[in-house]
Amino acid sequence: MLWSRIARNSLKQSEKSLGYYASERSLLGNGLPTSKLYISSLRNVTATRVGAGYPVSYGVRGITGTPQYNFLAAERVVEESDLDCDNTRLPGLEATKPGEKPRVVVLGTGWASCRFLKGIDTNIYDVVCVSPRNHMVFTPLLASTCVGTLEFRSVAEPVSRIQPALATAPNSYFYLAYCKGVDLDKHEIYCETVSNSGLPQEPYRFKVAYDKLVIAAGAEPLTFNINGVKEHAYFLREVNHAQEIRKRLLLNLMLSENPGISEEEKKRLLHCVIIGGGPTGVEFSGELSDFIMKDVRERYSHVKDDVRVTLIEANEILSSFDIGLRQYATKHLTKCGVHLKKGVVKKVHPKKIVLSDGTDVPYGLLVWSTGVGPSDFVKSLNLPKSQGGRIGVDEWMRVPSVEDVFALGDCAGFLEKTGKQVLPALAQVAEREGKFLVEVFNRIGKQNGGRAFSAKNIPLGDPFVYKHLGSMASVGRYKALVDLRQAKDEKGISHAGFVSWLIWRSAYLTRVISWRNRFYVAVNWATTLVFGRDNSRIG
């Protein structure tokens, strides 16, 4: 009787407690709140505490089981519910107080966000950056790292070097985490640290309150929902992607020399397939053909005649370039041993891809480069969307109908009502948007508009106008393409050949952010020219 009375009292207290949380507190629902969420479903949870050292019975409506098995599971449910159902209890940065500098929260460390971070006036604002990587990647030179032309650190710039305040200012921080949701009413974001972080509580969640929020979370590779792409193909957008490609390429070269490997299997291992004929796919093909012509033939002489590179594109390669440059690239790549093939991938298997016409293409290395689209995080946000699923913005990079939220880079696009077209996902577009937005922020900050809900009546200046500066692409063997037309249908200067290659290298060397990395790149290029590429497989 005593134990049953205690159980009944505990049941009543648990129901009251859980009912309070369900009705009064907001929830970080699965780490993905887009506005205020509540956990009415927790009213269905009941608990019975019997006493220390005695079996404890927990029950959930619709789920039954023995007390011995319910004990651990229910204890975990209650603990997780206590964390998730109450965002106010999460650790993190609370809203700024009077006398403190307004806080700008930046999501991402890509071209747009890093250009914004570089120029933001930290005498006016405190800055918090949240990203799953602590560096910016100089993507135009990323393909060169896959074959050893450049070292990986040469294309990675730590974000704390781009904006030193993140490391030195008392109220500015960089957080290595994913943003999982935004509460637009409370001006808060909810974050989760990267997995395998070694923290005692996994996943570890926290919140950050903001006065101004800049979403520059980038985009994800487009797979067109083709089966097997994510499981078997390599992308080329991050430094770790380039590292994995390099390891696979060198592994296949070494395995192909082992005794007992059939000729068919050897040819498969040494067949490198690139899907997508845009600048990234073409530049990687050019670097790969250089590597094969110069280094593989010298250091892997037993299999040099079996190495092949195939570039598959549904239409024409480099479709945004001048037609003369496209023809030059086609002839040059073919001359360098790259097999160009038109086709559409239907399915990807572990050792072969199937094209829409039924053709099977065996491969040892598959690199996927078919453009980018909105990430799952961007899709989850309850914000207006532009064409293609990007976050919709106006001419000042503001998200309409939402206070103090801005978006730029690959994750943002102009809304149809602005009368402007959605800009392509290019580094120069993102960088220009970051430069524009930082001028807007510094302007409103000097007029005391940096705090939340305080910039409504402050003039933002002229709207953003993008002017295309041209496109460049390397095609290997000291050759490159330079297209300086401002639009696809306009006339302008276009050139291909060795001089264009010098322009390409000079332009990118000057665009590398820090003098430290410019020195690294120049030294790497000189070392490769004199001694060739390194073929050590590490890791």
Side-chain angles (χ1 to χ4, degrees):
M1 294 294 293
L2 175 61
W3 296 124
S4 62
R5 190 179 301 114
I6 293 174
R8 284 195 299 272
N9 292 337
S10 300
L11 174 61
K12 292 179 181 178
Q13 292 175 1
S14 300
E15 290 176 335
K16 289 180 182 179
S17 175
L18 291 168
Y20 173 74
Y21 281 123
S23 60
E24 297 296 327
R25 308 258 186 188
S26 58
L27 169 70
L28 181 60
N30 293 326
L32 289 171
T34 57
S35 59
K36 292 183 178 179
L37 302 175
Y38 298 94
I39 52 164
S40 58
S41 60
L42 282 180
R43 291 195 180 100
N44 297 331
V45 180
T46 59
T48 304
R49 188 180 302 278
V50 179
Y54 288 84
V56 180
S57 175
Y58 290 87
V60 180
R61 183 179 298 176
I63 302 177
T64 58
T66 60
Q68 290 85 349
Y69 289 100
N70 279 337
F71 172 72
L72 293 176
E75 185 179 43
R76 190 161 54 248
V77 167
V78 171
E79 288 178 355
E80 291 176 355
S81 299
D82 287 344
L83 175 64
D84 291 350
C85 71
D86 191 355
N87 287 332
T88 61
R89 298 176 61 187
L90 289 173
L93 300 180
E94 301 293 342
T96 53
K97 298 184 175 80
E100 296 179 342
K101 290 187 287 187
R103 182 185 299 135
V104 178
V105 175
V106 181
L107 304 182
T109 51
W111 282 84
S113 53
C114 286
R115 183 59 185 86
F116 177 84
L117 287 169
K118 182 180 180 180
I120 191 74
D121 190 343
T122 53
N123 294 319
I124 301 176
Y125 297 101
D126 286 324
V127 183
V128 175
C129 179
V130 179
S131 175
R133 70 181 191 196
N134 73 336
H135 58 273
M136 172 191 167
V137 180
F138 193 80
T139 48
L141 297 178
L142 189 59
S144 299
T145 65
C146 299
V147 296
T149 305
L150 294 177
E151 295 292 333
F152 297 112
R153 65 177 178 177
S154 301
V155 299
E157 189 69 41
V159 68
S160 59
R161 288 180 177 270
I162 296 171
Q163 179 46 265
L166 293 172
T168 58
N171 294 315
S172 293
Y173 305 95
F174 170 80
Y175 294 137
L176 190 71
Y178 295 95
C179 178
K180 290 294 187 178
V182 181
D183 191 320
L184 302 171
D185 297 328
K186 290 185 176 181
H187 272 49
E188 290 179 345
I189 66 167
Y190 305 104
C191 307
E192 183 176 300
T193 57
V194 295
S195 58
N196 300 321
S197 56
L199 295 173
Q201 183 179 343
E202 290 274 358
Y204 182 80
R205 296 183 179 129
F206 60 93
K207 67 179 181 181
V208 179
Y210 64 85
D211 290 293
K212 297 286 188 290
L213 176 64
V214 178
I215 303 175
E220 292 182 353
L222 279 176
T223 63
F224 305 102
N225 296 321
I226 298 173
N227 291 334
V229 174
K230 291 184 178 180
E231 293 81 4
H232 308 301
Y234 292 92
F235 303 107
L236 187 53
R237 291 182 57 79
E238 306 284 350
V239 171
N240 65 298
H241 294 164
Q243 291 172 327
E244 292 300 321
I245 290 172
R246 176 174 171 79
K247 286 164 63 177
R248 168 63 69 175
L249 177 62
L250 294 174
L251 176 65
N252 289 351
L253 283 167
M254 290 181 282
L255 287 178
S256 64
E257 291 189 313
N258 288 345
I261 301 292
S262 66
E263 285 298 317
E264 183 181 1
E265 180 67 7
K266 182 185 296 185
K267 290 180 179 180
R268 183 193 68 80
L269 284 171
L270 297 176
H271 189 198
C272 304
V273 178
I274 299 100
I275 308 297
T280 300
V282 168
E283 289 191 337
F284 179 68
S285 300
E287 288 285 349
L288 201 53
S289 67
D290 265 6
F291 177 61
I292 293 168
M293 297 287 286
K294 296 179 181 178
D295 302 273
V296 171
R297 291 186 178 279
E298 178 183 340
R299 300 172 191 176
Y300 297 93
S301 57
H302 299 98
V303 296
K304 62 182 180 180
D305 295 328
D306 295 317
V307 183
R308 293 181 300 145
V309 179
T310 300
L311 176 62
I312 300 177
E313 167 59 42
N315 300 303
E316 290 188 70
I317 65 170
L318 301 174
S319 57
S320 63
F321 281 68
D322 176 73
I323 185 171
L325 297 181
R326 294 202 300 267
Q327 293 173 350
Y328 179 90
T330 300
K331 292 178 181 178
H332 181 77
L333 289 173
T334 303
K335 183 180 178 181
C336 292
V338 178
H339 176 55
L340 301 179
K341 183 178 181 63
K342 279 193 176 184
V344 177
V345 178
K346 183 179 179 180
K347 192 171 183 180
V348 177
H349 295 281
K351 296 182 179 181
K352 70 176 183 180
I353 60 174
V354 180
L355 302 182
S356 57
D357 61 1
T359 305
D360 290 347
V361 181
Y363 68 87
L365 171 67
L366 178 63
V367 177
W368 194 272
S369 176
T370 58
V372 295
S375 64
D376 291 337
F377 168 70
V378 169
K379 293 176 183 177
S380 72
L381 295 176
N382 187 22
L383 296 173
K385 298 295 194 297
S386 68
Q387 184 180 1
R390 299 185 185 186
I391 300 172
V393 295
D394 64 11
E395 299 95 323
W396 291 272
M397 301 297 144
R398 298 177 299 185
V399 180
S401 73
V402 181
E403 197 72 25
D404 299 321
V405 178
F406 301 77
L408 64 165
D410 294 352
C411 71
F414 290 120
L415 289 166
E416 187 176 351
K417 65 181 182 181
T418 63
K420 295 186 174 184
Q421 293 183 342
V422 175
L423 296 173
L426 299 175
Q428 61 174 297
V429 174
E431 185 181 31
R432 212 81 56 77
E433 289 177 349
K435 182 180 180 180
F436 170 82
L437 189 61
V438 79
E439 293 173 355
V440 172
F441 267 59
N442 291 341
R443 183 182 297 112
I444 64 177
K446 291 175 182 176
Q447 301 180 56
N448 299 319
R451 293 204 169 276
F453 306 106
S454 62
K456 289 183 179 180
N457 300 320
I458 296 178
L460 302 181
D462 296 331
F464 177 75
V465 177
Y466 172 71
K467 291 184 179 180
H468 189 61
L469 297 179
S471 303
M472 295 185 293
S474 170
V475 290
R477 300 290 298 274
Y478 308 110
K479 301 292 190 297
L481 315 176
V482 175
D483 189 350
L484 301 182
R485 297 176 304 158
Q486 291 191 353
K488 184 177 180 179
D489 299 327
E490 293 183 6
K491 293 183 179 180
I493 299 174
S494 59
H495 193 268
F498 179 73
V499 174
S500 296
W501 178 80
L502 291 177
I503 295 173
W504 176 82
R505 282 211 163 180
S506 301
Y508 283 145
L509 185 61
T510 58
R511 297 304 296 164
V512 173
I513 291 180
S514 68
W515 283 103
R516 164 183 169 270
N517 276 24
R518 289 173 195 166
F519 176 77
Y520 282 155
V521 169
V523 169
N524 289 164
W525 279 341
T527 303
T528 300
L529 181 65
V530 177
F531 300 105
R533 297 169 180 83
D534 177 60
N535 66 336
S536 302
R537 185 181 184 273
I538 301 173

